[in-house]
Every structure is written in structure tokens, then in C-alpha cells.
Amino acid sequence: MFLTEGIRSLGKYFILLGKTFHKPENWREYRKALVRDLELLGLNSIGIVSIISLFVGAVVTIQTAYNLDDPLVPDYYIGIATRESIILEFSPTIICLILSGKVGSNIASTLGSMRVSEQIDALEVMGINPAAYLIMPKVIAMVFFNPLLIVISMFLGILGGYFAAEFAGVLAPVDYLQGIQSDFNPFYITYALIKTVVFSFIITTVSAYYGFYVKGGAIEVGINATKAVVSSSIAIIVANYVLTQILLV
Amino acid sequence: MIEVKDLHKGFGGQEVLKGISTKFHQGKTNLIIGQSGSGKTVFLKSLVGLHSIDKGEIYYDGERLASMNDDQRKSLRTEMGMVFQGNALFDSLTIEENVIFALGMFSDMTQDEMTERANFCLKRVNLENVNNKFPAELSGGMQKRVALARAIAFKPKYLFCDEPNSGLDPKTAIVIDNLIQEITQEYNITTVINTHDMNSVMEIGDHIIYIKYGIKEWEGSSEDILNTENESINDFVYSSELFRKIKAKL
Ligand SMILES: Nc1ncnc2c1ncn2[C@@H]1O[C@H](COP(=O)(O)OP(=O)(O)O)[C@@H](O)[C@H]1O
Ligand SMILES: [Mg+2]
């Protein structure tokens, strides 16, 4: 029962993907939608991502400093540990989880309201493919913008660590600066950005799925927005494990 | 002309439309009447292909809807205009953007030409100076009129209106009704209107279909409806005290 329901939903999700990636009826109109979505879903996330990254970077540095409080471990290791935590896990995974809450609920509730107020039907009657017109620009906006956002997050996270060194005095700023420049593996950035692209695709398509197929009214829109966040978060966590296995091991 | 043959549609074992057949002619206002819950909206949505039907055939000018491929269906849809029961205006777009939406998507008109067309359609429904407002800033009746302006912007061959004057005051309701009829005749459109409003029936009912519990109980013109012996439709027509009194006087 539970299993067949799951398989049916998965089937419907892939059918929706099939409808979504179609040739636009008119490139100009789709570009307009893309610009709107870049602003709504991308630019509007810079603020929250910046604040969170700065503070988490600082906290990670302080905690690492306390945990590595061993005279045999040189202080610059703290810089290395902070850098690796931020680049490998915090920026791509945790920020994307936060975005699944912010952007995912936005997508699901917008599409859900459009469904229950018959706006999606109206598009369809006009001869427009509503899945393509409404979902594709959001996927493209997220998949291309989020890597930039994650790079900003990495930079600010590491900067937050520097502030912790400077102002909390947990280690000498020179040691921190030396740390973040030591033993750097550029592939980690690639790994993080691949994760970001996959997670962004998950956030937009899974939330779009929950929004697009709402049946009922305002209450169902709310329920599906919650389901969208829960499901995309779980999907991100599972994909994170799989990608790490594949890319790092 | 739209032809419907033995249309059946249900949801999860519950049959809503139980075999409806009829023809809708060009240049005529075809009215579907019936009590709330009788299946009017389901019928209209089945007609335009928003609901997949369980059984039966729908022909648009002789072309079978079910046999059309995606492209044919899309091009048929560019010839349709529809006013939904709840207006279904795009709430993130301005009134003007709503009205010209299909034009922007499917025509190669310039922005100026589209604006001009928007102004023309909005004026046609007696709306002015609302181009840059958003749907939420308009009253229900104004939203209805915008929905109608949007439906006619692309010069449709087929116009579908689901309760176009529900929730309007009687005066505005008649304005909307007459407008739909005028447009229908002027552009020779095949128009199908859902309504439960007897005023509309008398005002613009060229061809009327009465649906009860998903079955076509009666079909005829607005003159026929006053003289029919069919009890079921008389029950519907004379459900209001006013009409009963008028009938007694005649
Ligand atoms: N999507 C749907 N799923 C299940 N039942 C539906 C759906 N749409 C309409 N119905 C049912 O079909 C019947 C007719 O509804 P409708 O066509 O909306 O009536 P109306 O004549 O007032 O427009 C109602 O009993 C309604 O509950
Ligand atoms: Mg209805």
C-alpha cells in the first residue's frame, strides 16, 4: 500500500519532469519568467545566506579551536578544519537544506495556489504548456544561480572564521590565514558545486511536483508546501550520501 | 461548431456526466443551465480537454479532439478563450499583462500593438485606467470583466464562460451577458456559457441545454423554455417566486 503509493508518486514526478523539459512556445516570454525567478528565488536569498554563512563560519572556528586545544596540534590546523567543513559540507549541503525551506516552500505554495485558483488550467486552455512555462525557468534559475550563491557562502563562511580569530581571540589570525591556505585540494570545490547543482535540481523539481498537483484549497496548499520541504530535504540528504560515495571515495 | 456525442465523465467511480450529446453552433450563445452541482463545470472542462473523458466523442468543426496530437491540440487551444468560474487571473501580472498574455506567447505583435489591443478589449468590457493595477486591487465584477477581456484578446473561434455573471449585481450581470452575446455575433464565435441564472437564459439564450444530475433533460431556445411541458425544467425555471408570479400573470 505504502510502497505502491510511493512508486505511483515517483512515476508522476518523472512524468512531470517530462512535461517540464519541453521546447518553449516563445523564448522571449520564457526569458522574462527566468528573470523574474532569478530575482525571486536567487537574488532574494543572498541576504539570509550571507548572514548564516558568516556566523556559522565563526562558530565552526571557535568550536574547532576548543576541540583541538592540544599543544601537539599546531594552531593553523584550525584554519584547515574550518575551511574543509565549510567547503565540503556546510555551504553546499546545509545552505541547500535552508534553501529547500525558503525556496521550496515558495515554489510549492505559488504553484499550489495557481492550481487551486485555476490559473494553471487557464494557461493550459491558452495552449501553453504550464509545466514548462512555470517550472523550467525556476529549475534553470536555481541550477545556475545557486553555485554562485554557494561560492559566496564559502567565502563568507571562511571570512566569518577569520573574524572569530580576530575578535574572539581563539587563535592568532596569522595562524588562521596560514591554515586556510594549506593543503588545499581544488577538487573539493568541484565536488561541492556538483552537489549544489544536484541539490538545486532536487529542491525545484520536488517542490514543483508538490505544488503542481495540489487538489483542494488553501489548507492543501499549506500541507503540500510542508511536504515539499520535508521530501526535498530527505532527498538532499540521501543524494548527499550517494554523491559523496561516488565523488570522494 | 462543436459536437458532443455521449459524453461520460466520472471521478473515482462516481459518474458526474452520464452520456450527454449536443451540438453548439457558430455565432450563437449556447447556454448550459442546471442547479449547482449538476455537472456544468465538469462538462465545460471536459469540452476543452482539461478533464480527460471516460467515454464519448468531442468534435471541433469536424475534428475529433481525442485524435489530435499535441501540436494540433495546442493550435486548437490558441483559438479558444475561456472565462473560469473563479476568474483565474494571473495574480503576479498586471491587468494589461493578463489581457495580452496569449498574444505575447503566440503572436508577433509589438508591445505597442499589444497594448493597443489590451486597451481595445478592456474598453469593450467597460474598463479603463486599470492597465497597471493587479487583479487583487479590483472588485469581483471588474475581475470578471478582465477575465472576459483576456478571453477575447486573441480573437477566439470558441468562447467558454463558466458562470460569467455569478456574484455580480443584476445590472452588471446583464451588461456582461449582453457583451458576450454581442461579441459572439460580431466575431461569429461558438460560445458556450454555464449559468444558473434565469435572467441570462431569457436575455441571451439562443440555444439552451438543461442538465440535471449529469443528464441532459431538455434542450431548446429561450422561447421554447417558457412553453415547455417538461416538468423537470419547469421546476428549475419556476423555482423563483418572481417567475411563478410572472407566469401566473401571462
Ligand atoms: N475534480 C473533481 N473530483 C471529484 N469530483 C468532482 C471534481 N469536480 C467536480 N466534481 C463533482 O462533480 C459534481 C459536479 O460538479 P460541477 O461540475 O462543479 O457542478 P456545477 O454544475 O455547479 O458546475 C459535483 O458533485 C462535484 O463534487
Ligand atoms: Mg460550476
Side-chain angles (χ1 to χ4, degrees):
Chain A
M1 179 65 203
F2 186 73
L3 193 68
T4 51
E5 200 51 47
I7 291 171
R8 183 167 312 135
S9 303
L10 205 62
K12 248 174 113 181
Y13 168 76
F14 282 109
I15 289 172
L16 182 65
L17 286 189
K19 289 186 190 160
T20 299
F21 295 100
H22 250 270
K23 186 169 167 287
E25 290 85 10
N26 178 311
W27 289 97
R28 187 190 51 191
E29 291 302 314
Y30 275 64
R31 250 196 325 269
K32 270 197 225 163
L34 176 64
V35 170
R36 262 201 304 273
D37 286 331
L38 270 174
E39 183 181 344
L40 186 73
L41 307 177
L43 292 178
N44 287 353
S45 299
I46 292 180
I48 181 171
V49 167
S50 303
I51 292 172
I52 293 174
S53 302
L54 265 174
F55 277 91
V56 171
V59 169
V60 167
T61 307
I62 295 171
Q63 285 181 352
T64 312
Y66 275 110
N67 287 314
L68 289 185
D69 193 14
D70 182 330
L72 292 178
V73 180
D75 265 3
Y76 76 90
Y77 270 51
I78 298 166
I80 298 179
T82 301
R83 185 192 69 209
E84 308 296 46
S85 317
I86 302 249
I87 291 180
L88 290 174
E89 214 41 43
F90 167 72
S91 286
T93 310
I94 305 300
I95 291 291
C96 280
L97 282 172
I98 290 166
L99 289 177
S100 83
K102 182 178 183 290
V103 174
S105 61
N106 178 308
I107 291 176
S109 56
T110 306
L111 292 181
S113 315
M114 291 188 76
R115 168 63 74 191
V116 302
S117 62
E118 300 180 313
Q119 292 175 53
I120 291 181
D121 286 342
L123 284 171
E124 190 148 1
V125 172
M126 287 177 182
I128 295 157
N129 172 352
Y133 176 68
L134 294 174
I135 302 172
M136 196 175 11
K138 295 188 199 302
V139 177
I140 294 175
M142 286 292 89
V143 163
F144 284 91
F145 190 80
N146 281 356
L148 180 68
L149 200 59
I150 295 310
V151 169
I152 294 174
S153 161
M154 289 171 181
F155 174 78
L156 290 176
I158 292 168
L159 184 68
Y162 177 81
F163 287 149
E166 182 79 49
F167 301 116
V170 287
L171 78 161
V174 247
D175 287 336
Y176 183 79
L177 290 176
Q178 187 198 341
I180 60 173
Q181 292 170 71
S182 307
D183 296 328
F184 179 59
N185 180 352
F187 177 70
Y188 284 2
I189 303 263
T190 313
Y191 158 80
L193 294 182
I194 291 174
K195 290 208 299 188
T196 303
V197 168
V198 173
F199 297 164
S200 304
F201 186 83
I202 290 174
I203 294 170
T204 38
T205 55
V206 170
S207 329
Y209 166 78
Y210 279 101
F212 200 79
Y213 289 123
V214 169
K215 277 204 174 78
I219 298 204
E220 285 79 7
V221 173
I223 291 173
N224 275 30
T226 308
K227 281 188 189 164
V229 175
V230 172
S231 299
S232 51
S233 304
I234 293 171
I236 286 174
I237 296 297
V238 173
N240 188 34
Y241 174 75
V242 174
L243 285 174
T244 306
Q245 266 294 358
I246 295 172
L247 296 170
L248 287 194
V249 178
Chain B
M1 189 185 75
I2 305 171
E3 186 173 2
V4 181
K5 286 186 187 161
D6 193 32
L7 192 143
H8 288 257
K9 172 67 189 171
F11 298 98
Q14 177 86 8
E15 194 160 48
V16 176
L17 301 176
K18 302 163 187 161
I20 295 188
S21 304
T22 190
K23 284 179 186 170
F24 300 118
H25 290 281
Q26 209 172 348
K28 295 267 187 295
T29 41
N30 302 276
L31 267 57
I32 316 283
I33 61 170
Q35 280 179 16
S36 161
S38 54
K40 300 185 296 296
T41 298
V42 173
F43 180 76
L44 211 59
K45 286 194 173 176
S46 304
L47 208 56
V48 299
L50 283 174
H51 287 323
S52 55
I53 59 177
D54 301 334
K55 196 178 156 218
E57 309 282 345
I58 298 165
Y59 295 89
Y60 278 83
D61 289 314
E63 296 287 327
R64 187 162 167 263
L65 184 62
S67 314
M68 293 182 186
N69 63 28
D70 269 6
D71 286 341
Q72 289 169 316
R73 202 177 266 246
K74 269 195 173 184
S75 86
L76 171 69
R77 285 192 164 150
T78 59
E79 300 178 331
M80 291 180 178
M82 185 153 179
V83 177
F84 286 84
Q85 200 161 354
N87 302 325
L89 297 176
F90 304 125
D91 42 27
S92 61
L93 302 182
T94 65
I95 300 306
E96 178 174 318
E97 287 167 340
N98 263 281
V99 174
I100 62 177
F101 194 82
L103 298 175
M105 203 55 98
F106 296 111
S107 79
D108 21 288
M109 289 165 90
T110 64
Q111 185 61 45
D112 285 345
E113 288 168 335
M114 289 194 285
T115 301
E116 198 178 310
R117 179 78 191 149
N119 288 335
F120 174 82
C121 293
L122 287 168
K123 209 164 167 185
R124 204 75 181 71
V125 296
N126 298 323
L127 281 175
E128 271 169 278
N129 302 322
V130 292
N131 294 44
N132 297 319
K133 290 198 155 73
F134 284 90
E137 298 173 287
L138 302 188
S139 73
M142 290 162 93
Q143 289 182 15
K144 268 264 141 75
R145 285 184 270 164
V146 174
L148 184 57
R150 183 176 71 178
I152 60 171
F154 208 35
K155 301 190 177 152
K157 239 172 115 179
Y158 313 98
L159 179 62
F160 305 93
C161 304
D162 197 356
E163 312 258 1
N165 54 19
S166 68
L168 302 184
D169 62 277
K171 250 192 164 149
T172 314
I174 286 179
V175 169
I176 294 275
D177 279 344
N178 289 331
L179 192 66
I180 293 174
Q181 189 173 40
E182 269 171 49
I183 292 167
T184 300
Q185 292 167 354
E186 195 175 323
Y187 303 113
N188 204 20
I189 301 172
T190 308
T191 300
V192 184
I193 304 168
N194 278 354
T195 185
H196 57 245
D197 180 8
M198 276 312 295
N199 275 323
S200 307
V201 172
M202 299 320 296
E203 196 80 28
I204 60 165
D206 292 336
H207 171 215
I208 299 155
I209 296 179
Y210 173 58
I211 295 182
K212 190 174 176 185
Y213 304 127
I215 294 171
K216 183 178 84 178
E217 288 270 333
W218 185 87
E219 184 165 10
S221 72
S222 55
E223 278 123 53
D224 302 339
I225 210 170
L226 294 177
N227 305 314
T228 171
E229 300 294 318
N230 183 312
E231 260 185 47
S232 156
I233 182 117
N234 278 333
D235 231 32
F236 179 76
V237 172
Y238 300 109
S239 54
S240 101
E241 191 64 25
L242 178 65
F243 275 96
R244 271 201 297 276
K245 279 185 180 158
I246 294 173
K247 174 146 180 154
K249 284 243 160 74
L250 287 174

